[in-house]
Structures are given as structure tokens and as C-alpha cells.
Amino acid sequence: MTTPQPPTEPPPTPADEPPADWVLAPPTSTEPAAPPQPPPGAAPPGFGPPVPVAPGFGPPAPPYGHPPVPPQYGAPQYGYPAAPAPAQQPVDGPEFMAVDRHNSVVVDSAGVAFEDHGHSAEFPWHEIRSVHYKAGPNGKTLMVAVVHLDSRFYECVVDAKGRDQLAGWFAQLAPVLGYYRPLT
């Protein structure tokens, strides 16, 4: 039976002879190298004309001698920014509007528009299959539903101050819808 032998290592090389596949660097000095000197008559570093720099991110630097113009702002505004004014379209026919403190329904020549607690939805006439309306269960709310051509429907509920106001809304809404969506 033989005893296991430890793996054999290559014979050590003398310290002054590196392996044949190594590339030798030139010997270095232990003294620090002197910084390069500018040619005679040249300005010292940091003086003289600016060195051109490749363009980077952001706007270009302003030219020397012209201070930047600060932006002109109005008086500070607090709260939510004002909504842009909608473009006014000429009225081609009758209009209907029912509004409470949170919701609204508008029917005009552009179509039907709902606003529900600050969220608005506009439905042009060419996308509407039908418009339905009825009184709510308590007799003081107007419920309006718009049915799209693809059968999706959206509804909005507007609270009337009383039954008399709701009756007035029904009297106004019926002829306006009949004008834009006549029964054929």
C-alpha cells in the first residue's frame, strides 16, 4: 500500500528572476516626480483664457458681464391653482344645468357633462347611445345616466333643494334632451 503524497509544487525561482510569462515594468524611483513646468513665458496654471469644456447637461452658462435676469413672478398665491378657463363655444341650441354643492349635470350642444365631487366627465353626442333620467328614491334628487355606444354607462346624482326645484328640472330637461336626441 502506498501513502498519499502531497501535490508537488514547481521548484521555487530565485527572487531576482520572475516567471517567463510576466512583463517587467521599468524600475521606479522612490523620490516623487516633479510636476511638469509650463514653457517659459506661459501663464501659470489657473490663469489665462478659459479652457473649452465639452457641453454637458443643463442650459449653457451665461456670458461674462451680463447678470442673469431673475424671473418675474406675481404676488404669491395660496391654495389651489385656478383652473384654466374653458373655451367658450357658441351656443347652437338649448341648454340644461342642474347644480348642487357637490355635483352638476350639463346638457348642451356639445353633449352631456357630469361633475361629481370635483371629478368631471364629458360625453359628446356622437359617443352617446341614450340618456336616461328619473327622480331619486327620496323624491328630491335628479338621477341622470348616460349610456355609451359600447353599453358602458355613467350616472350622476344632483340634490334639489326641494320637490318644486326637481319638478322644474324635469320640465327643463325633457325638451332639451328631445332637441338633441329626438325619438325616431
PDB file of all heavy atoms in Angstrom, residues 26-34:
ATOM      1  N   PRO A  26       9.529  49.071 -15.816  1.00  0.00           N
ATOM      2  CA  PRO A  26      10.831  49.662 -15.548  1.00  0.00           C
ATOM      3  C   PRO A  26      10.946  49.978 -14.066  1.00  0.00           C
ATOM      4  O   PRO A  26       9.957  50.234 -13.392  1.00  0.00           O
ATOM      5  CB  PRO A  26      10.840  50.926 -16.411  1.00  0.00           C
ATOM      6  CG  PRO A  26       9.411  51.213 -16.709  1.00  0.00           C
ATOM      7  CD  PRO A  26       8.705  49.903 -16.673  1.00  0.00           C
ATOM      8  N   PRO A  27      12.111  49.966 -13.524  1.00  0.00           N
ATOM      9  CA  PRO A  27      12.262  50.261 -12.101  1.00  0.00           C
ATOM     10  C   PRO A  27      11.791  51.675 -11.803  1.00  0.00           C
ATOM     11  O   PRO A  27      11.930  52.579 -12.603  1.00  0.00           O
ATOM     12  CB  PRO A  27      13.762  50.093 -11.854  1.00  0.00           C
ATOM     13  CG  PRO A  27      14.400  50.147 -13.194  1.00  0.00           C
ATOM     14  CD  PRO A  27      13.368  49.740 -14.192  1.00  0.00           C
ATOM     15  N   THR A  28      11.161  51.824 -10.625  1.00  0.00           N
ATOM     16  CA  THR A  28      10.650  53.124 -10.225  1.00  0.00           C
ATOM     17  C   THR A  28      11.562  53.730  -9.182  1.00  0.00           C
ATOM     18  O   THR A  28      12.230  53.032  -8.420  1.00  0.00           O
ATOM     19  CB  THR A  28       9.233  53.001  -9.643  1.00  0.00           C
ATOM     20  OG1 THR A  28       9.289  52.126  -8.524  1.00  0.00           O
ATOM     21  CG2 THR A  28       8.274  52.466 -10.681  1.00  0.00           C
ATOM     22  N   SER A  29      11.520  55.051  -9.133  1.00  0.00           N
ATOM     23  CA  SER A  29      12.318  55.780  -8.158  1.00  0.00           C
ATOM     24  C   SER A  29      11.487  55.966  -6.905  1.00  0.00           C
ATOM     25  O   SER A  29      10.259  56.072  -6.953  1.00  0.00           O
ATOM     26  CB  SER A  29      12.724  57.125  -8.756  1.00  0.00           C
ATOM     27  OG  SER A  29      13.224  57.958  -7.760  1.00  0.00           O
ATOM     28  N   THR A  30      12.090  56.051  -5.769  1.00  0.00           N
ATOM     29  CA  THR A  30      11.376  56.275  -4.521  1.00  0.00           C
ATOM     30  C   THR A  30      11.138  57.752  -4.289  1.00  0.00           C
ATOM     31  O   THR A  30      10.388  58.122  -3.404  1.00  0.00           O
ATOM     32  CB  THR A  30      12.172  55.698  -3.331  1.00  0.00           C
ATOM     33  OG1 THR A  30      13.457  56.300  -3.310  1.00  0.00           O
ATOM     34  CG2 THR A  30      12.263  54.199  -3.447  1.00  0.00           C
ATOM     35  N   GLU A  31      11.733  58.637  -5.081  1.00  0.00           N
ATOM     36  CA  GLU A  31      11.530  60.073  -4.933  1.00  0.00           C
ATOM     37  C   GLU A  31      10.321  60.471  -5.778  1.00  0.00           C
ATOM     38  O   GLU A  31      10.112  59.966  -6.875  1.00  0.00           O
ATOM     39  CB  GLU A  31      12.764  60.831  -5.418  1.00  0.00           C
ATOM     40  CG  GLU A  31      13.986  60.568  -4.574  1.00  0.00           C
ATOM     41  CD  GLU A  31      15.174  61.351  -5.098  1.00  0.00           C
ATOM     42  OE1 GLU A  31      14.955  62.319  -5.854  1.00  0.00           O
ATOM     43  OE2 GLU A  31      16.291  60.984  -4.761  1.00  0.00           O
ATOM     44  N   PRO A  32       9.476  61.438  -5.258  1.00  0.00           N
ATOM     45  CA  PRO A  32       8.325  61.874  -6.058  1.00  0.00           C
ATOM     46  C   PRO A  32       8.776  62.625  -7.295  1.00  0.00           C
ATOM     47  O   PRO A  32       9.773  63.339  -7.272  1.00  0.00           O
ATOM     48  CB  PRO A  32       7.548  62.776  -5.110  1.00  0.00           C
ATOM     49  CG  PRO A  32       8.526  63.211  -4.081  1.00  0.00           C
ATOM     50  CD  PRO A  32       9.562  62.114  -3.979  1.00  0.00           C
ATOM     51  N   ALA A  33       8.001  62.457  -8.361  1.00  0.00           N
ATOM     52  CA  ALA A  33       8.337  63.116  -9.618  1.00  0.00           C
ATOM     53  C   ALA A  33       7.980  64.591  -9.513  1.00  0.00           C
ATOM     54  O   ALA A  33       6.989  64.967  -8.877  1.00  0.00           O
ATOM     55  CB  ALA A  33       7.569  62.476 -10.770  1.00  0.00           C
ATOM     56  N   ALA A  34       8.727  65.449 -10.128  1.00  0.00           N
ATOM     57  CA  ALA A  34       8.469  66.889 -10.123  1.00  0.00           C
ATOM     58  C   ALA A  34       7.323  67.173 -11.082  1.00  0.00           C
ATOM     59  O   ALA A  34       7.207  66.542 -12.128  1.00  0.00           O
ATOM     60  CB  ALA A  34       9.730  67.637 -10.546  1.00  0.00           C
TER      61      ALA A  34
END
